[in-house]
């Protein structure tokens, strides 16, 4: 198995790159999907959130009240850290399960772990990856995408970008950088070229 970490800033085209990898035959594991799974009704993660932040975090239907939780942790680094201490280990546990299942199904599988907060998690969280791929577009390009395509205000877009790791920090951990600042075709070509190198065994 070849285990790839795929990361990038908000609106940097990471989802496009992940989708292309999947089309080419990679097993796609999405950290955002896992993060939703670990707080489903009945999970230890949801119970721990209720214990830490109060039962008001649970909606009438038994699901996580994301708006209520967001109101509590937004702008409060200490409370956000407590939330992350609950959810991040559970996400990593589920991810390891998915990686193991992919390897069991195909010992030569290429697994792409789509993980937005890769850099923020710290080096110790990702030493076991064989390859780190970073999608990169200039902040001005990403801000334009967020306002034009996602309907965000300029202020909200800038806040989202500034809340994440810096471009320099992401690029510092990259083994391969996919330039996503241009056309979709240019991005796809780069993924296809990287896939050819992977299949040729360059990174194994």
């Amino acid at each position: 198995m070849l285990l790839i970490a795929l990361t990038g800033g908000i609106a940097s085209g990471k989802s496009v790159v992940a989708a292309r990898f999947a089309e080419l035959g990679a097993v796609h594991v999405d950290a955002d999907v896992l993060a939703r799974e670990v707080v489903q009704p009945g999970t230890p993660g949801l119970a721990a959130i209720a214990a830490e932040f109060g039962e008001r975090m649970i909606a009438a239907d038994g699901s996580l009240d994301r708006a209520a939780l967001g109101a509590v942790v937004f702008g409060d680094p200490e409370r956000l850290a407590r939330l992350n201490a609950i959810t991040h280990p559970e996400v990593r546990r589920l991810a390891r399960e998915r990686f193991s299942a992919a390897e069991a199904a195909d010992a030569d599988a290429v697994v792409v772990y789509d993980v937005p907060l890769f850099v923020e998690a710290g080096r110790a969280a990702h030493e076991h990856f064989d390859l780190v791929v970073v999608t990169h577009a200039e902040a001005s390009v990403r801000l334009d995408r967020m306002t034009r395509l996602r309907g965000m205000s300029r202020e909200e877009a800038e806040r989202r970008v500034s809340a994440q790791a810096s471009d320099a920090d992401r690029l510092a951990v990259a083994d391969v950088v996919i330039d996503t600042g241009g056309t979709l075709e240019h991005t796809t070509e780069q993924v296809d070229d990287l896939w050819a190198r992977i299949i040729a065994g360059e990174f194994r």
Side-chain angles (χ1 to χ4, degrees), residues 158-177:
E158 290 175 345
R159 186 186 66 79
R160 295 287 187 94
V161 169
S162 64
Q164 294 188 329
S166 69
D167 288 345
D169 287 343
R170 275 190 295 269
L171 293 173
V173 303
D175 296 310
V176 175
V177 176

Side-chain angles (χ1 to χ4, degrees), residues 1-21:
M1 179 179 70
L2 185 75
L3 186 55
I4 299 172
L6 172 65
T7 194
I10 186 170
S12 68
K14 184 170 56 62
S15 296
V16 170
V17 171
R20 184 58 179 169
F21 269 126

Side-chain angles (χ1 to χ4, degrees), residues 5-180:
L6 172 65
T7 194
I10 186 170
S12 68
K14 184 170 56 62
S15 296
V16 170
V17 171
R20 184 58 179 169
F21 269 126
E23 289 173 0
L24 293 168
V27 177
H28 179 210
V29 179
D30 189 334
D32 283 343
V33 171
L34 300 185
R36 290 191 290 272
E37 288 185 21
V38 302
V39 294
Q40 289 296 308
T43 60
L46 185 60
I49 288 173
E52 176 69 36
F53 299 101
E55 290 295 332
R56 67 186 184 283
M57 298 299 115
I58 310 301
D61 64 359
S63 66
L64 175 65
D65 187 332
R66 295 181 182 276
L69 181 61
V72 168
V73 303
F74 177 71
D76 188 329
E78 182 179 337
R79 285 189 163 185
L80 179 59
R82 294 208 300 269
L83 174 62
N84 290 341
I86 293 169
T87 58
H88 287 185
E90 285 296 294
V91 169
R92 288 195 291 269
R93 180 184 61 79
L94 276 188
R96 287 193 294 269
E97 288 181 1
R98 304 295 162 85
F99 302 158
S100 296
E103 186 173 27
D106 178 4
D108 294 323
V110 177
V111 178
V112 173
Y113 187 38
D114 181 348
V115 52
L117 300 180
F118 182 78
V119 173
E120 290 85 344
R123 188 73 200 179
H126 54 75
E127 287 181 345
H128 61 288
F129 287 94
D130 300 301
L131 188 66
V132 178
V133 177
V134 172
T135 56
H136 176 69
E138 294 297 330
S140 59
V141 173
R142 293 188 284 130
L143 289 169
D144 177 67
R145 289 171 179 168
M146 294 162 73
T147 55
R148 183 169 48 86
L149 302 178
R150 302 189 184 185
M152 290 185 188
S153 68
R154 181 76 179 190
E155 293 75 16
E156 173 67 6
E158 290 175 345
R159 186 186 66 79
R160 295 287 187 94
V161 169
S162 64
Q164 294 188 329
S166 69
D167 288 345
D169 287 343
R170 275 190 295 269
L171 293 173
V173 303
D175 296 310
V176 175
V177 176
I178 303 291
D179 175 13
T180 56

